Amino acid sequence: MCLFTGLSARAGHWHAAGQAGSLPGWIHADAPLMSRKLYIRTFGCQMNEYDSSRTADLLARSHGLQRTHDPAQADVLLVNTCSVREKAAEKLFSEIGRWKELKSARPGVLIGVGGCVASQEGAAIQARAPYVDMVYGPQTLHRLPQMLDAAGRGARAVDVSFPEIEKFDRLPEPRAEGPTAFVSIMEGCSKYCSFCVVPYTRGEEFSRPFDDVIAEVAELAAQGVREITFLGQNVNAYRGAMHGGGVCDLAELIRFTAEVDGIGRIRFTTSHPREFSDALIEAYAEVPALVSHLHLPVQSGSDRILARMKRGYRAQDYIERIRRLREVRADISLSSDFIVGFPGESDADFEASMRLIDEVGFDNSFSFVYSPRPGTPAAAYADEVPFVRKKARLARLQARIAEQAAALSAAMVGSVQRVLVEKPSRKDPRQMSGRTENNRVVNFDAAPALGGQFADVRIIEALPNSLRGVLVDAPAAARRM
Ligand code: SF4
């Protein structure tokens, strides 16, 4: 199934090569165990951020490692890589090249490479960078404690297999860090878009059982979390087994989640238009906790380019889904992904994307000039669009979406928004900062006691990257008098 040489041959094993038997050197160094430090550098998406934070929880439990933001202080250095962005391997080797010097200065330091590039490259990483002790994939990070022990004995460990759901069973209980939390509900992707490496690096789609997800949500809610973001590469392809038999889709999971005490907001990312079902649209009609914001990647407005990308829908299908959604949620704000300058994209194809943007109206976008990812079908496509033309197209597209977002912010002035208050504002500690349903940061005068609660805030000014507001309604104890 894999386009990358050797990946399928590597799947399903983990091995540790090198001398074994001696006790981990880094455990026996001078500093006490509890002061051992872990540094994790994360590239890429929210899935990777989530994996990094669960990795930190895991190694805190197994080895007492405390997280540091300074690589020079760390005893274990991990990089969680992403192969979606350009020059992923170069970025990785430049990062760990700097760590090689840290390891030379302190030989007990251990270095690990995880994430999608690790999945793609496997043992080739250690062939190029022999000072790397551990290579693990997104689905095997739960085995890091054993790999760390092996590496501490001088063995070099590689495990980039896809043991599916095992990962979630082995991770520690989630710990809330504020009123918002991510919950990963599915991994992998079976869509095989022609430009994307994810199906090869994270494997096919698989969903966590429904009961495990709800138990995690309830645990986080009990710790004070008020907003849950469900994560998955194709999160709306979720099909979780239920304990009494049957399968739960994302729409049903959202309904159950809204019933969990304390949960006031539900988000999910990232969705695929093909999986954006009628049931999900009904959930928007019936579940107020499901926020009025949706990230739904379209990638292009040209049917010809969508077919070359193997996206499995036409521009009109996408527009129609949004029309149906707006019938039940008129105020929904939308963000999307666009790839500009895909091989063969003509001026007419690009203008089709601009027309789609005008018709739908977006609030934000993750938009990039196309660049090939090794091993994907599109990497073999002839690409005649000059780079400078691609850049010019991207600038036009981003400027149009920025105009749309600014108009939406301006239209919010005077309205009262429900805000989930997070923390004191970075610029003015007398103010609190929170987010609206459509993901805008709002700063307003309030007491710190309001943190972690919902408040109604009237928007008084739209700034380029945030809003200013005044508190209208909040729990009495939390108002600044
Ligand atoms: S849907 Fe396409 S772009 Fe998204 S992860 Fe799957 S293959 Fe990649």
Side-chain angles (χ1 to χ4, degrees):
M1 86 167 197
C2 180
L3 297 177
F4 295 96
T5 322
L7 184 59
S8 58
R10 290 197 304 273
H13 78 254
W14 90 270
H15 70 261
Q19 65 193 40
S22 57
L23 286 167
W26 62 279
I27 284 183
H28 288 281
D30 300 334
L33 186 61
M34 288 311 288
S35 67
R36 295 280 161 192
K37 296 276 193 298
L38 167 70
Y39 175 81
I40 309 182
R41 173 87 160 96
T42 306
F43 292 104
C45 63
Q46 285 164 324
M47 295 284 291
N48 268 15
E49 293 288 351
Y50 177 84
D51 280 351
S52 291
S53 97
R54 302 314 311 275
T55 302
D57 290 348
L58 179 72
L59 296 180
R61 184 181 71 175
S62 66
H63 287 77
L65 290 171
Q66 303 296 309
R67 207 158 173 184
T68 174
H69 296 293
D70 179 4
Q73 300 289 319
D75 302 280
V76 178
L77 293 149
L78 302 178
V79 54
N80 194 359
T81 58
C82 168
S83 45
V84 170
R85 299 284 176 263
E86 210 175 354
K87 299 195 175 94
E90 284 75 3
K91 278 184 193 148
L92 162 66
F93 286 108
S94 122
E95 184 78 26
I96 58 178
R98 288 192 285 275
W99 295 356
K100 182 183 175 190
E101 287 156 30
L102 297 175
K103 189 167 173 142
S104 305
R106 293 168 57 219
V109 165
L110 297 177
I111 295 177
V113 177
C116 291
V117 178
S119 223
Q120 266 178 285
E121 304 288 332
I125 289 174
Q126 287 169 325
R128 181 165 161 189
Y131 49 90
V132 170
D133 302 282
M134 301 161 290
V135 178
Y136 57 98
Q139 257 67 280
T140 52
L141 60 88
H142 59 288
R143 296 177 181 165
L144 259 176
Q146 295 91 320
M147 297 175 87
L148 206 54
D149 287 341
R153 291 191 297 268
R156 291 198 297 157
V158 180
D159 185 354
V160 291
S161 59
F162 297 153
E164 301 203 338
I165 214 71
E166 176 191 304
K167 162 180 161 182
F168 294 109
D169 292 340
R170 305 286 165 80
L171 292 175
E173 291 292 306
R175 268 186 309 153
E177 291 168 7
T180 64
F182 293 117
V183 174
S184 181
I185 62 170
M186 58 88 66
E187 288 229 17
C189 180
S190 308
K191 301 291 186 288
Y192 292 90
C193 300
S194 63
F195 54 83
C196 182
V197 294
V198 166
Y200 315 114
T201 57
R202 288 202 176 237
E204 298 263 332
E205 289 161 5
F206 66 89
S207 298
R208 290 178 74 188
F210 164 81
D211 299 70
D212 292 4
V213 173
I214 285 291
E216 186 166 331
V217 169
E219 173 60 36
L220 288 164
Q223 294 179 34
V225 167
R226 299 291 163 257
E227 176 183 299
I228 292 288
T229 302
F230 289 131
L231 289 182
Q233 244 82 38
N234 256 312
V235 74
N236 54 345
Y238 176 75
R239 304 286 184 274
M242 301 179 89
H243 67 273
V247 170
C248 177
D249 64 9
L250 181 63
E252 208 171 345
L253 178 65
I254 286 167
R255 289 174 198 278
F256 278 104
T257 301
E259 298 297 314
V260 174
D261 265 357
I263 297 300
R265 267 187 191 172
I266 303 165
R267 302 181 186 273
F268 57 88
T269 194
T270 289
S271 298
H272 194 291
R274 248 166 70 196
E275 303 275 1
F276 204 79
S277 63
D278 289 344
L280 212 37
I281 291 176
E282 278 163 31
Y284 276 97
E286 293 163 15
V287 183
L290 185 54
V291 296
S292 283
H293 174 77
L294 169 67
H295 183 71
L296 191 62
V298 63
Q299 306 298 2
S300 171
S302 156
D303 290 343
R304 202 176 65 84
I305 295 299
L306 288 171
R308 280 169 73 78
M309 289 176 168
K310 296 201 176 354
R311 291 290 288 173
Y313 54 84
R314 298 164 306 150
Q316 196 53 42
D317 301 328
Y318 184 94
I319 290 167
E320 180 58 20
R321 288 280 88 187
I322 300 302
R323 189 190 64 71
R324 292 270 330 271
L325 181 58
R326 283 192 166 134
E327 280 175 6
V328 302
R329 275 291 175 97
D331 67 339
I332 194 140
S333 92
L334 294 162
S335 56
S336 196
D337 294 349
F338 290 89
I339 295 174
V340 175
F342 192 73
E345 185 191 74
S346 64
D347 287 341
D349 292 319
F350 176 68
E351 293 306 329
S353 293
M354 295 299 284
R355 279 198 301 279
L356 182 137
I357 289 167
D358 287 342
E359 184 159 354
V360 172
F362 291 100
D363 201 6
N364 197 2
S365 78
F366 297 93
S367 41
F368 302 93
V369 160
Y370 172 78
S371 63
R373 297 292 170 269
T376 58
Y381 294 176
D383 183 5
E384 319 81 4
V385 188
F387 185 70
V388 33
R389 189 173 304 165
K390 293 182 183 182
K391 291 281 283 181
R393 286 177 186 169
L394 181 68
R396 254 185 80 199
L397 181 145
Q398 290 181 333
R400 182 72 54 87
I401 291 177
E403 275 169 31
Q404 293 179 337
L408 218 146
S409 290
M412 290 171 74
V413 174
S415 70
V416 174
Q417 300 286 324
R418 176 61 52 96
V419 170
L420 179 53
V421 188
E422 295 183 12
K423 56 192 173 194
S425 147
R426 266 186 299 138
K427 287 195 182 145
D428 182 350
R430 289 168 310 172
Q431 293 199 323
M432 293 298 284
S433 176
R435 280 183 190 270
T436 60
E437 285 201 23
N438 62 8
N439 240 340
R440 281 167 170 72
V441 172
V442 187
N443 295 307
F444 55 99
D445 285 350
L450 199 54
Q453 303 185 58
F454 288 102
D456 289 336
V457 175
R458 185 178 304 284
I459 306 303
I460 56 169
E461 190 178 3
L463 303 167
N465 298 311
S466 64
L467 302 170
R468 279 201 322 116
V470 288
L471 193 58
V472 173
D473 196 16
R479 289 196 195 107
R480 183 183 291 286
M481 297 302 171

